[in-house]
Amino acid sequence: MTAAPTGFEAELVPLLDRAYGLAYSLTHDRANAEDLVQEAALLALRAFAQFQPGTNFKAWFYKILVNAFYGQLRKQRRQGETVDLETLPSLYLYGKTAELGLQDHTDDPASALLSRLDAESIVAALEALPEEYRVACSLYFIQDFSYEDIAQTLAVPLGTVRSRIHRGRKLLQQRLWAIAEERGIVRQLKAQATA
Amino acid sequence: MKLPSRWHWPWSPRPYECADALARLDDYLDRRLTPKEQRLVEGHLAVCTACTSKYRFETTFVSELRGKLTRIDVPPRFADRVQEALRRAQAT
């Protein structure tokens, strides 16, 4: 193989830490996350001649990373979870914290809940989302990608990105509440609200 | 003269009610509202504490999540290992 074109590593290296965060949120496994980024980096190196200078390297690289992730999933024959998307409630966590009486106890109930959840819990909640929502939400939350960047990365229309983000956010709230219940955080908050 | 709270100039857009504001919550969070919608939402939030509380909750939810997820620990020397792998690939 010939040497990498000048600039490839200069473009890639600043993205690596965030790419690892994205890979970890997709795989929920540290070794697999590292392997995934490495695989994507090698694929990107081989394809770099096709990259058009001046276009969005970040979106181009993440597209390769996400496709590599989908490739791994196909190998594992992992099936997506079926979710009833018609019945997703809005303001789920707001409603749940209001039921606890947390709104009366603090003027920042969202932080009161989320400060008790670590990054691992949030990644676990993300992992429980169906694949298409998990990928879109990971790009949205971890990379702070715009709809346009997500659409370019996933090669889907803007409307699809919008609905995946909106629904993914609602699903994520349900998962996070379930995790908070499992870990005794809801019980702690309830005690705090009634103290 | 004190105008009724729901009064508006006939040539100006109808002020948002709670249902209008809540229907635009997701797009507000994603900064996808038009400038006119943004003004109407903010106008409603200025007079509605219930919607303000919901908007603040959702805004904090997104920013807290983003803050935590961007602090995922990266293994030591991760970037070095990726760069080593790239150099090995170039050498073969």
Side-chain angles (χ1 to χ4, degrees):
Chain A
M1 184 185 289
T2 55
T6 310
F8 176 74
E9 286 192 28
E11 294 265 21
L12 179 72
V13 171
L15 302 180
L16 286 175
D17 283 4
R18 286 285 183 95
Y20 177 84
L22 173 64
Y24 182 65
S25 77
L26 297 175
T27 61
H28 200 192
D29 180 280
R30 295 204 170 271
N32 288 344
E34 188 159 341
D35 288 349
L36 179 58
V37 176
Q38 200 149 307
E39 182 186 348
L42 291 169
L43 289 169
L45 173 67
R46 287 183 203 119
F48 192 58
Q50 294 155 35
F51 173 71
Q52 302 199 337
T55 60
N56 189 342
F57 181 85
K58 193 170 162 182
W60 180 78
F61 176 66
Y62 284 129
K63 185 173 189 172
I64 291 172
L65 192 151
V66 168
N67 284 338
F69 168 66
Y70 282 136
Q72 288 184 359
L73 276 186
R74 277 193 294 275
K75 283 181 202 159
Q76 293 164 8
R77 295 172 183 273
R78 184 172 165 171
Q79 298 298 310
E81 192 178 335
T82 305
V83 176
D84 182 0
L85 296 171
E86 297 307 314
T87 57
L88 284 178
S90 292
L91 294 161
Y92 184 80
L93 278 183
Y94 180 87
K96 287 293 184 186
T97 54
E99 280 171 23
L100 283 187
L102 212 55
Q103 323 284 1
D104 303 326
H105 188 77
T106 168
D107 57 5
D108 191 359
S111 293
L113 170 65
L114 288 165
S115 64
R116 288 172 162 81
L117 288 163
D118 57 11
E120 291 290 326
S121 307
I122 294 167
V123 171
L126 267 174
E127 194 199 17
L129 300 186
E131 299 308 335
E132 58 195 18
Y133 296 92
R134 184 179 359 159
V135 173
C137 285
S138 296
L139 290 167
Y140 172 81
F141 282 113
I142 298 175
Q143 306 300 334
D144 200 8
F145 265 19
S146 65
Y147 282 8
E148 287 77 7
D149 283 343
I150 297 174
Q152 194 183 338
T153 302
L154 303 181
V156 296
L158 278 179
T160 304
V161 173
R162 181 177 182 272
S163 79
R164 285 183 190 175
I165 298 296
H166 292 189
R167 289 170 168 175
R169 208 157 44 209
K170 291 179 173 72
L171 281 170
L172 205 48
Q173 290 204 349
Q174 291 181 318
R175 304 290 186 204
L176 284 170
W177 186 255
I179 288 171
E181 280 184 322
E182 282 164 24
R183 301 191 179 177
I185 293 168
V186 171
R187 200 173 56 244
Q188 291 168 19
L189 288 171
K190 194 171 184 178
Q192 185 188 323
T194 53
Chain B
M1 181 182 77
K2 189 172 188 314
L3 298 172
S5 61
R6 294 190 189 287
W7 188 91
H8 64 103
W9 295 105
W11 56 84
S12 65
R14 178 183 65 79
Y16 279 172
E17 306 276 344
C18 294
D20 302 313
L22 293 177
R24 287 162 179 84
L25 173 58
D26 280 316
D27 285 332
Y28 175 88
L29 293 173
D30 296 341
R31 302 182 291 275
R32 304 296 294 188
L33 294 181
T34 64
K36 180 181 162 190
E37 287 175 317
Q38 179 87 17
R39 279 195 302 277
L40 286 164
V41 164
E42 285 166 0
H44 177 75
L45 296 182
V47 296
C48 179
T49 52
C51 285
T52 299
S53 164
K54 289 167 185 159
Y55 265 67
R56 191 182 299 144
F57 187 99
E58 295 298 312
T59 305
T60 306
F61 171 77
V62 170
S63 62
E64 287 265 347
L65 233 61
R66 204 163 259 156
K68 284 181 187 278
L69 286 171
T70 50
R71 287 197 299 269
I72 290 173
D73 290 336
V74 178
R77 299 192 59 251
F78 169 64
D80 292 345
R81 283 196 294 283
V82 175
Q83 286 176 284
E84 280 163 21
L86 291 171
R87 283 170 200 148
R88 275 200 305 276
Q90 289 169 65
T92 56

